[in-house]
Amino acid sequence: MEFGNGVSLVGNVVPIEIVCHKGARISIGDHTFINYGSSISAHKNITIGRHCLLGHYLRLLDNNEHGVEQHDVPTPSAPIMIGDRVWIGSCVIILPGVSIGDHAAVGAGSVVTKASLRIVWPLEIQLAYCGNYQPNSPAPHRAHLHAGGSHRI
């Protein structure tokens, strides 16, 4: 586990759970804030950028823990990457393989699966599904934010 300078963990209301399984890596960038009740569990790799604000009861899981029928067989892991200056609202769940680009915002209560978020222009987020995503190609869907408002993805 790596924590940058000025990382702030607020676990005085409800503890924060950070689990780094054998051979896994968790990296949290400088001046990132993680609110109470959050849970971060890495079987492979979770990277959180600098100056991020992560809301309470956040869940970051790079592995689905176990199968429905075979509890002793682990499922494949996929890294989670969160860029710099990302805001993630409360009660958000981010599942394996998700990449969130710099300056993105994820609204409260969102469940982010198999997606890559990146800022295209100010107040516009481009959502591209990983299975079809090519870094320099247009995304299949766009969601627009309005000034002063928020958008749930």
Side-chain angles (χ1 to χ4, degrees):
M1 279 194 278
E2 300 171 17
F3 287 75
N5 294 324
V7 170
S8 179
L9 306 173
V10 178
N12 58 345
V13 177
V14 177
I16 294 171
E17 174 185 59
I18 300 177
V19 179
C20 192
H21 296 272
K22 185 177 181 177
R25 180 177 176 267
I26 295 174
S27 176
I28 301 173
D30 296 342
H31 306 289
T32 286
F33 172 86
I34 301 175
N35 214 337
Y36 63 85
S38 293
S39 177
I40 300 170
S41 177
H43 283 83
K44 188 171 191 173
N45 185 27
I46 295 178
T47 302
I48 302 169
R50 297 171 294 142
H51 300 279
C52 294
L53 301 173
L54 309 181
H56 62 284
Y57 298 108
L58 166 77
R59 299 287 178 260
L60 293 176
L61 307 163
D62 76 348
N63 181 285
N64 289 325
E65 303 299 328
H66 59 74
V68 175
E69 294 180 13
Q70 297 179 325
H71 295 279
D72 57 340
V73 178
T75 59
S77 299
I80 293 175
M81 305 292 288
I82 297 174
D84 295 336
R85 298 186 185 280
V86 171
W87 177 84
I88 298 176
S90 63
C91 300
V92 169
I93 300 171
I94 298 176
L95 296 177
V98 169
S99 178
I100 299 175
D102 296 348
H103 306 282
V106 180
S110 296
V111 176
V112 185
T113 65
K114 299 180 184 176
S116 176
L117 298 173
R118 64 185 173 94
I119 293 295
V120 181
W121 296 103
L123 303 178
E124 181 182 356
I125 292 179
Q126 184 171 346
L127 174 63
Y129 296 94
C130 284
N132 301 323
Y133 180 67
Q134 299 297 322
N136 295 319
S137 68
H141 172 75
R142 287 185 179 212
H144 296 275
L145 296 176
H146 300 286
S150 62
H151 182 77
R152 183 175 170 174
I153 296 178

